[in-house]
Amino acid sequence: MADVAVTLADIYNPVAFATGAQEDQIELNRFIQSGIITGDPRVSAFAQSGGSLNEIAFMKPLGTEEPNYSNDDITDNSETKKISSAKMIVRTAYQNQSWASTDLASEIALVKPLPAITGRIGSYWATTNERRLIASCTGIVADNVANDSGDMILDKSITTGTIADTNRISATNIVGAVQTMGDHGMNLRAMAMHSAIYSQLQIQNLIEFIPDSMGNVDIPTYQGKRVVVDDSIVPDTTVAAYPVYSIYLFTEGAFVGGEGMPENASELNRNPSAGNGGGETQLFSRRTDIIHPLGFSCVGTPAGTSFTLAELRLAATWDRVWERKNTGIAVLKVNL
């Protein structure tokens, strides 16, 4: 029996589309699968409650001062130390995208069009949210340089002179970046980098592969750290002849994520006058997401309701509110 092409309206169900796209988004988002983003019920509640701004309260560390030593002098009273609290400001992203049925024509002609279309939508949102995380990292680094003396960063790059091995990715430089977290560096579990940097690690035989939980896919790792390769981690080409690449190292749960459910997460619209009367079917997809780095507060103000990628990259958007070692990000900058 020949395959029968169907229209989008024939197979459209808003619940099925929204659910299928969401499941694919989670499965395809490498930062979720690697554990860099973990779900947080507080953040999910924020995303589901509406509004743009919310706060996560936390207790500051008690410090490491030497303790008191007890004695039998009843007039010798100890001094009570203060337990301080603070807050992280998180901001919700309200996002949407739409496609015309002509853009989905090849999928609609398939025998199983529903998973094909929701898979494409899920892939789109997975990529979009990965880029929001990377843009946030760029802004966090800019804030760290501007306000915290760059204490999260090992910068081995140069913009003049001759690039040497000391300026490139290496085991030594990665250890140096890990050391920016001191004795908390052992908590780093994943790395994200541009494919050009990943290729250099492969040339140095520093990449190992492990099977996934199903034994079907080999996952790249570096010294037990899962490696995420993403070319949207673009190099800084301020000096064109000396591109500077950033490698991000993360603890598990360095970012927390939560999602709401828009009232119309998926919607179909028919525009009969388009194409000079030929007609067009439009599919709309909407998301409510929070992807937030733990230990940082979102202090900037977006031009609209949600931060754009460009705004997330700004130092003014971020402020670190945790001690450096308690955050979940370290950064290495190198040349190629």
Side-chain angles (χ1 to χ4, degrees):
M1 179 178 177
D3 293 347
V4 179
V6 298
T7 67
L8 187 56
D10 289 335
I11 50 91
Y12 177 74
N13 177 289
V15 175
F17 263 66
T19 302
Q22 171 57 14
E23 290 174 350
D24 286 325
Q25 188 276 142
I26 293 173
E27 181 178 345
L28 296 170
N29 188 315
R30 294 162 297 170
F31 290 91
I32 294 176
Q33 295 304 313
S34 64
I36 296 170
I37 302 175
T38 56
D40 187 304
R42 297 168 299 175
V43 175
S44 292
F46 293 157
Q48 293 165 10
S49 65
S52 296
L53 287 175
N54 282 284
E55 299 176 354
I56 299 177
F58 64 92
M59 305 303 296
K60 291 186 176 181
L62 298 181
T64 57
E65 294 182 48
E66 188 173 1
N68 302 316
Y69 296 99
S70 304
N71 59 45
D72 58 2
D73 183 354
I74 62 174
T75 65
D76 184 10
N77 296 309
S78 64
E79 178 185 352
T80 302
K81 304 300 182 182
K82 182 179 181 181
I83 300 177
S84 300
S85 63
K87 62 186 178 182
M88 283 179 287
I89 300 172
V90 301
R91 184 175 283 274
T92 305
Y94 296 96
Q95 307 177 88
N96 73 83
Q97 190 55 274
S98 58
W99 300 268
S101 62
T102 52
D103 297 334
L104 302 170
S106 60
E107 277 71 44
I108 294 172
L110 297 174
V111 175
K112 296 182 179 180
L114 178 59
I117 297 171
T118 57
R120 285 235 171 174
I121 295 172
S123 178
Y124 171 81
W125 287 122
T127 301
T128 296
N129 284 336
E130 287 176 351
R131 290 181 176 176
R132 289 190 69 81
L133 182 147
I134 293 167
S136 298
C137 288
T138 302
I140 287 167
V141 169
D143 167 66
N144 186 243
V145 171
N147 299 307
D148 296 298
S149 304
D151 61 0
M152 297 168 54
I153 307 162
L154 177 65
D155 190 349
K156 302 297 290 186
S157 67
I158 60 173
T159 54
T160 60
T162 302
I163 296 174
D165 286 345
T166 55
N167 310 118
R168 298 187 174 97
I169 188 71
S170 66
T172 299
N173 285 340
I174 293 172
V175 169
V178 170
Q179 183 56 35
T180 65
M181 290 185 67
D183 56 2
H184 287 206
M186 66 183 68
N187 296 326
L188 294 166
R189 293 287 183 268
M191 305 170 65
M193 64 191 69
H194 190 278
S195 62
I197 297 298
Y198 176 73
S199 295
Q200 291 301 307
L201 289 177
Q202 285 186 301
I203 291 170
Q204 297 174 38
N205 291 319
L206 295 177
I207 296 295
E208 296 181 346
F209 295 89
I210 61 173
D212 67 3
S213 59
M214 302 297 292
N216 298 324
V217 179
D218 285 334
I219 299 171
T221 65
Y222 170 82
Q223 292 191 353
K225 299 175 178 62
R226 183 160 175 169
V227 176
V228 175
V229 182
D230 195 320
D231 281 350
S232 63
I233 309 175
V234 295
D236 180 348
T237 55
T238 302
V239 181
Y242 296 85
V244 176
Y245 291 81
S246 292
I247 298 94
Y248 299 103
L249 297 97
F250 301 98
T251 62
E252 184 174 350
F255 281 73
V256 290
E259 62 193 73
M261 180 57 71
E263 184 175 350
N264 294 293
S266 178
E267 190 171 3
L268 204 63
N269 180 61
R270 179 68 184 167
N271 181 8
S273 65
N276 197 29
E280 178 184 63
T281 301
Q282 301 164 333
L283 177 63
F284 291 80
S285 179
R286 303 180 181 93
R287 288 189 60 85
T288 303
D289 290 291
I290 297 176
I291 301 172
H292 188 82
L294 284 177
F296 300 87
S297 196
C298 215
V299 296
T301 302
T305 303
S306 308
F307 280 115
T308 64
L309 295 179
E311 290 171 327
L312 288 173
R313 297 184 186 108
L314 298 177
T317 299
W318 303 100
D319 182 45
R320 192 174 78 203
V321 294
W322 283 6
E323 294 180 7
R324 189 277 167 273
K325 291 201 298 184
N326 292 333
T327 64
I329 305 172
V331 186
L332 172 63
K333 290 181 175 288
V334 297
N335 300 112
L336 192 60

